[in-house]
Amino acid sequence: MSIPTSSPRRTKEATVAQAAASPRRRRLGVASVTLMIIAASAPLTVLAGGVTTTFAVTGLLGVPLSFLILGAILTVFAVGYAAMSRHVTNAGAFYAYVSQGISRPAGVGASLTALMSYNLMQVGIYGIFGFTVSSFISERFGVDVPWWAPILVCIAVVAALGVNRVDLSAKVLGALVALEFLVVIVYDVASFAVAPEGLTAAPLAPSSLFVPGIGAVLSFGVAAFMGFESAAIYGEEAKEPHRTIPRATYTAVGIIAVFYAVSSWAMAVGTGPSQLFDAAGKQGPDLVFSFLGAHVGQIAADVAQVLFITSLFAALVSFHNAVARYFFSLGRERVLPGWLEATSHHGAPKAGSLVQTGIAVLVTAGFAIAGNGSELGPLYPVLTMFTWLTNAGAMGLVLLMAIVSVAVIGFFRRRPALRASAWTAVIAPALGAVALAVVFCLIVANFDVLLGLTEPSALSWVLPAIVVVPGLLGILWALRLRRTDAALYARIGHGEEGRAHHLGDEED
């Protein structure tokens, strides 16, 4: 479909598009994008928080194997996803992919689900960040600080980075992630060296995972990968997006899968399989820090605790960047208010960053007010804000990846001139869609367990609805736009390409 470009409005948008694509904005290479992805998964947070919780809640030893299986599933998903990224460069990755691969209404629905999911992940992490920092200050300095106070300070710092140069964020995250990896590697080596019950491969055996409860393990594990799919979000700021984004995606998935599998295996060996579940349930994140203090030295334990905080901070920055770019993309195409496409003089999505900051402040304030005097005590922000929001966000992102897999098939089917192989255009995306749909169903089936509930409650329905309902409303909104503004509707999901005739595009 041909898009008119002669009006003053279109001329202004074309100028914005040219600025967005200028070399000045294209600062990110493979290493930078990979670090942004890995930072979102927060290596030390996954080990100290996620892995210990998984062992404690599920009582299954096969957690290391689950990371390898999930890594294989996401690698298959990444085949079509990365191939499509070579042809679609858009800061609202899921939004653009679904729009061009399935339909524009589906794309708008996916965009709002993605926007909600990333916000839930980002804001939810603030809950454990506030608890961890306030506890650290209390233990080290004897000063009681309310959990929400460190969050407000952190929100301000993240906001400052969000409107600054994106490569500055990448450099900050790179330094923090490098230190995290170093600490976790030290922990892994020490664990295999101590091995109180000897070195065992039982955590990698299928019999340790493929038993009742596997759904809960996969549900916890998939959250550790969340953020790997965000590579395409940085396509408009990558130096060579057609090469940078696919390479960064594959690199990140491989590193995350292997690193977490080895580290969770080290935890099982270092603690001792017979003692693991009880120790993880009683100590939680302190399982890692106490082990380092006992076998490496207290300085190492203290450094690890500080890096646990910076690990959370790195994840917050990464998810903040993802949310800001979705706002920018939707504002640019007028699916959401146009002022959301405003950028700073550094080229960062300023308006989207500020809106995400406002959301974080409001949600934090709401939980702080609701939790005043809660019987949950200091753990309130962890057991509510962190647990509820991040699990709902992870569920939404898994659903979106399954839908994107279907979109990849549709995209290449509509564009035979691209000459993609059957493996890339059909087989891998189909396998990815089925596998991710299975993981999504397992998350839904185990959602009560993920929320720490012993029986279904209103939360079991409300939290999934927060992710799904915006998607349905987005579909209805797009259908309305098709009737009321045909030109705007035609541009949905096509970013800068929507201003010219799009290869093989057809009205949907």
Side-chain angles (χ1 to χ4, degrees):
M1 178 180 294
S2 178
I3 307 298
T5 58
S6 58
S7 69
R9 178 180 175 184
R10 297 266 33 90
T11 300
K12 177 182 177 182
E13 290 182 349
T15 301
V16 172
Q18 293 172 0
S22 67
R24 180 176 64 86
R25 280 177 49 107
R26 295 193 176 279
R27 305 176 183 274
L28 301 178
V30 175
S32 295
V33 176
T34 301
L35 285 171
M36 297 286 259
I37 297 170
I38 296 176
S41 72
L44 190 54
T45 298
V46 169
L47 179 63
V51 173
T52 55
T53 301
T54 307
F55 279 130
V57 171
T58 66
L60 296 183
L61 199 59
V63 174
L65 180 59
S66 73
F67 283 117
L68 297 178
I69 291 174
L70 289 169
I73 291 174
L74 296 180
T75 297
V76 172
F77 163 80
V79 171
Y81 185 71
M84 194 168 173
S85 74
R86 296 186 178 97
H87 307 287
V88 180
T89 301
N90 192 298
F94 284 161
Y95 160 59
Y97 288 17
V98 176
S99 294
Q100 296 191 37
I102 298 179
S103 70
R104 290 171 172 83
V108 175
S111 73
L112 297 187
T113 292
L115 196 57
M116 185 61 70
S117 298
Y118 280 120
N119 266 300
L120 287 168
M121 293 291 289
Q122 203 267 357
V123 178
I125 293 172
Y126 274 121
I128 194 170
F129 177 87
F131 165 78
T132 303
V133 174
S134 62
S135 297
F136 181 81
I137 293 175
S138 177
E139 292 174 2
R140 290 294 181 275
F141 306 104
V143 178
D144 291 330
V145 177
W147 62 267
W148 48 263
I151 294 179
L152 296 180
V153 174
C154 185
I155 288 175
V157 176
V158 171
L161 288 174
V163 299
N164 215 306
R165 284 170 45 177
V166 67
D167 60 328
L168 175 60
S169 291
K171 290 175 182 177
V172 172
L173 295 180
L176 296 177
V177 171
L179 290 172
E180 283 185 61
F181 268 94
L182 180 61
V183 168
V184 175
I185 289 172
V186 169
Y187 172 81
D188 292 349
V189 172
S191 295
F192 284 121
V194 172
E197 298 177 18
L199 183 63
T200 174
L204 298 173
S207 59
S208 297
L209 178 64
F210 291 95
V211 295
I214 182 177
V217 175
L218 294 176
S219 300
F220 277 109
V222 75
F225 287 87
M226 291 299 97
F228 94 93
E229 79 294 339
S230 66
I233 292 173
Y234 300 100
E236 295 182 33
E237 297 160 278
K239 294 175 182 177
E240 296 179 277
H242 301 313
R243 295 182 179 181
T244 298
I245 302 308
R247 290 178 181 178
T249 300
Y250 286 123
T251 302
V253 171
I255 291 175
I256 291 172
V258 174
F259 189 70
Y260 291 161
V262 171
S263 297
S264 55
W265 181 23
M267 180 178 289
V269 171
T271 306
S274 66
Q275 305 296 320
L276 178 61
F277 307 130
D278 183 62
K282 292 180 178 178
Q283 298 184 52
D286 286 338
L287 179 63
V288 173
F289 309 134
S290 61
F291 179 90
L292 287 172
H295 300 286
V296 180
Q298 190 57 44
I299 293 179
D302 291 341
V303 169
Q305 284 185 299
V306 172
L307 287 175
F308 183 49
I309 295 173
T310 60
S311 173
L312 293 168
F313 174 76
L316 289 167
V317 172
S318 186
F319 279 116
H320 175 90
N321 287 338
V323 172
R325 280 153 183 77
Y326 262 96
F327 275 125
F328 164 80
S329 180
L330 295 174
R332 177 177 60 189
E333 299 184 17
R334 302 301 189 268
V335 173
L336 292 180
W339 54 265
L340 284 169
E341 73 170 330
T343 58
S344 68
H345 67 279
H346 295 293
K350 177 177 65 176
S353 179
L354 293 176
V355 170
Q356 203 286 322
T357 298
I359 291 172
V361 171
L362 289 176
V363 175
T364 299
F367 273 95
I369 293 172
N372 186 30
S374 171
E375 61 182 15
L376 297 177
L379 284 173
Y380 169 80
V382 177
L383 298 178
T384 57
M385 187 171 174
F386 171 70
T387 301
W388 297 354
L389 302 189
T390 56
N391 280 317
M395 179 186 69
L397 292 175
V398 171
L399 173 62
L400 284 170
M401 286 190 287
I403 294 173
V404 168
S405 294
V406 176
V408 171
I409 298 174
F411 178 82
F412 286 108
R413 182 183 61 81
R414 295 181 180 184
R415 297 159 178 81
L418 296 179
R419 298 182 182 277
S421 68
W423 167 251
T424 298
V426 180
I427 300 174
L431 292 174
V434 172
L436 288 165
V438 170
V439 173
F440 174 76
C441 291
L442 290 173
I443 291 177
V444 173
N446 289 272
F447 207 65
D448 293 335
V449 176
L450 297 176
L451 297 179
L453 303 175
T454 56
E455 58 184 24
S457 71
L459 281 175
S460 305
W461 299 98
V462 171
L463 289 174
I466 290 176
V467 172
V468 175
V469 171
L472 300 177
L473 294 177
I475 293 174
L476 296 177
W477 173 243
L479 293 175
R480 181 179 183 277
L481 289 175
R482 184 168 64 181
R483 295 193 306 270
T484 60
D485 194 333
L488 189 156
Y489 178 81
R491 295 192 300 273
I492 287 177
H494 291 73
E496 296 164 19
E497 297 177 359
R499 297 172 176 85
H501 180 72
H502 187 72
L503 174 64
D505 193 35
E506 54 190 54
E507 184 173 4
D508 41 51

